[in-house]
């Protein structure tokens, strides 16, 4: 959320006043979230792509952590040559 701005600052700097008004009235909700319409097809496709990328990244991190645990666990039963590669 953007804090309220001193009116003297807005009056002394008209460009900043315009920017501040655009942000607070057109682009941001009172809680600071964006007013973007999630129902727009282009935005919806982008959100789906981001969700897919985040999921893929999380899965890759889990796989890496599991492989590291297996490599350093002496009771994992992995042969030494495989353990060295990991």
């Amino acid at each position: 959320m953007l804090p309220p701005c001193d009116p003297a600052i807005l009056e002394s700097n008209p460009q900043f006043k315009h920017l501040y008004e655009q942000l607070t009235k057109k682009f941001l909700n009172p809680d600071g979230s964006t007013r973007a319409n999630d129902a727009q097809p282009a935005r919806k496709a982008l959100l789906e792509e981001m969700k897919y990328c985040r999921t893929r990244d999380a899965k890759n991190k889990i796989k890496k952590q599991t492989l590291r645990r297996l490599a350093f666990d002496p009771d994992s039963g992995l042969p030494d040559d495989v353990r060295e590669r990991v």
Side-chain angles (χ1 to χ4, degrees):
M1 182 172 146
L2 287 176
C5 190
D6 183 9
I9 294 173
L10 296 176
E11 292 304 319
S12 65
N13 191 342
Q15 290 178 334
F16 179 73
K17 179 181 180 180
H18 178 71
L19 173 66
Y20 185 81
E21 288 174 353
Q22 288 288 321
L23 286 174
T24 56
K25 294 178 182 174
K26 188 174 180 182
F27 296 112
L28 297 176
N29 293 321
D31 66 351
S33 62
T34 61
R35 290 189 182 195
N37 186 358
D38 290 341
Q40 294 174 345
R43 181 155 172 87
K44 198 172 193 178
L46 179 66
L47 290 173
E48 288 296 320
E49 179 69 21
M50 282 181 53
K51 182 179 177 182
Y52 170 75
C53 289
R54 287 179 178 154
T55 304
R56 187 182 65 204
D57 183 53
K59 287 179 181 179
N60 285 337
K61 286 180 180 179
I62 291 170
K63 289 175 187 175
K64 286 179 183 179
Q65 289 173 349
T66 303
L67 285 173
R68 284 188 187 122
R69 270 192 238 128
L70 283 173
F72 291 111
D73 184 12
D75 298 328
S76 66
L78 287 175
D80 289 337
D81 59 332
V82 174
R83 189 174 304 200
E84 289 174 7
R85 286 186 218 153
V86 176

